[in-house]
Amino acid sequence: MDPHLLTTFVTVARRGSFSAAAAELGYTQSAISQQIAALEADLGLALLSRRPVEPTPAGRRLLEHAGPLLLRLRAARADVLRAAAGPRHRLRLAATPLAVNAAVAGRLARARAAQPRLDVTLVSCGREQVGALVAEGEADLGLADGIAAPSDPLRLPDTGPMTTVAVSEEELVVALPAGHPVAGRTALRLDDLVDARWLQTEVCPLARLRDLAGDGFPVALEYRGDDVHTVINLVAAGHGLTLLPASALSTGSVPPATRGVPLAWPRLVHRVELLHGALPPGSAADLARTLSS
């Protein structure tokens, strides 16, 4: 399949309109229609219904493959250009909100002290985006965090050949209101909390907890942002429980109505990993070594 035709198909499906896709891609509407027709002729299947414009069952199946395929193509292009590029002192670091903990921030400070000319732009984004930004060359390095068993790698989306290195691991705590019935305990088991009301967040996806401890963990409130202080304030106000790294509740800005009780079982940690593609000698490689040291 022609990747240009595939890109057009994905754009039409996402926008739900041939004219909107044409405006986004810089083609005429007639050209968009011809490209979709060419892709459908290649496969011998209708991929889009026209009124309304939406994927057919075959089109929905193709969309499942299209995203990863197009990402791998962009990643291949970025990897070749990155390998051929000379050393640069202006770097972009993509990171999930909780990835830049005290340990990582300290290592970043050491790297900047050792390289006075180093200019780092830190971009906050979701876990799904970190690998994609690095793979596509939009970021030189990435930092992703998540819940894992000790020494186990994170479950990150496949974005092609990528080096991942453990940066830090720390204790997880159950964040809950100070008045919660179990707030005074010295430790908690996850299987004792399957019927509690939980926050659904990027920081602590409940699907991951269900993988670890079985069904349950009802959603009390879903928060689609990535601000950790907002999550903590929601916990303090009684909107639901969540898991956080212990350091997230150790700052002076945490509301006094919030408690963090260590998680006794299962044995889990908050893990941070560094992601990068091929790095020629220079500032990016030096920063990667310092962050993962």
Side-chain angles (χ1 to χ4, degrees):
M1 285 179 288
D2 186 326
H4 295 292
L5 300 183
L6 197 56
T7 298
T8 299
F9 166 67
V10 170
T11 306
V12 173
R14 174 169 51 82
R15 299 298 299 268
S17 164
F18 281 70
S19 58
E24 179 175 325
L25 296 174
Y27 293 115
T28 64
Q29 185 171 335
S30 175
I32 293 292
S33 297
Q34 291 172 13
Q35 291 176 36
I36 295 298
L39 183 60
E40 291 178 325
D42 179 32
L43 292 172
L45 293 167
L47 299 174
L48 291 167
S49 60
R50 271 33 179 197
R51 293 183 181 178
V53 176
E54 60 185 16
T56 63
R60 289 193 294 272
R61 192 65 175 265
L62 181 57
L63 283 172
E64 294 177 8
H65 297 280
L69 284 171
L70 293 173
L71 174 58
R72 291 295 293 270
L73 287 172
R74 294 192 297 271
R77 181 178 187 276
D79 188 55
V80 171
L81 293 175
R82 185 165 44 226
R88 297 185 299 112
H89 297 286
R90 186 182 297 274
L91 303 177
R92 286 171 61 88
L93 176 61
T96 50
L98 278 172
V100 185
N101 54 31
V104 173
R107 293 174 194 176
L108 181 58
R110 289 200 301 274
R112 298 183 66 195
Q115 302 182 64
R117 294 177 58 196
L118 184 62
D119 184 354
V120 178
T121 298
L122 183 62
V123 181
S124 179
C125 57
R127 189 177 295 110
E128 297 282 330
Q129 296 173 283
V130 172
L133 289 175
V134 174
E136 295 174 3
E138 296 297 322
D140 301 279
L141 305 168
L143 288 166
D145 77 286
I147 297 170
S151 301
D152 276 2
L154 296 177
R155 298 179 180 181
L156 298 174
D158 180 16
T159 53
M162 188 83 66
T163 298
T164 59
V165 184
V167 171
S168 69
E169 289 186 353
E170 68 170 301
E171 177 187 43
L172 280 167
V173 298
V174 181
L176 68 176
H180 195 280
V182 298
R185 295 191 186 180
T186 57
L188 290 168
R189 292 174 55 92
L190 200 54
D191 55 1
D192 289 335
L193 300 170
V194 293
D195 295 324
R197 292 160 53 82
W198 287 79
L199 295 176
Q200 170 65 26
T201 70
E202 286 290 323
V203 175
C204 178
L206 296 186
R208 181 72 174 119
L209 301 191
R210 295 178 186 123
D211 286 344
L212 295 163
D215 294 336
F217 305 99
V219 178
L221 184 146
E222 181 176 1
Y223 172 57
R224 296 188 179 180
D226 59 11
D227 182 74
V228 179
H229 292 295
T230 298
V231 173
I232 294 172
N233 286 331
L234 290 171
V235 170
H239 292 286
L241 313 186
T242 193
L243 293 183
L244 290 172
S247 60
L249 292 177
S250 63
T251 65
S253 60
V254 175
T258 307
R259 293 288 184 273
V261 181
L263 184 67
W265 184 92
R267 192 175 172 217
L268 299 172
V269 294
H270 177 256
R271 181 178 171 94
V272 178
E273 291 182 353
L274 176 70
L275 291 72
H276 62 80
L279 296 176
S283 298
D286 293 342
L287 177 58
R289 279 192 294 272
T290 303
L291 289 175
S292 57
S293 61

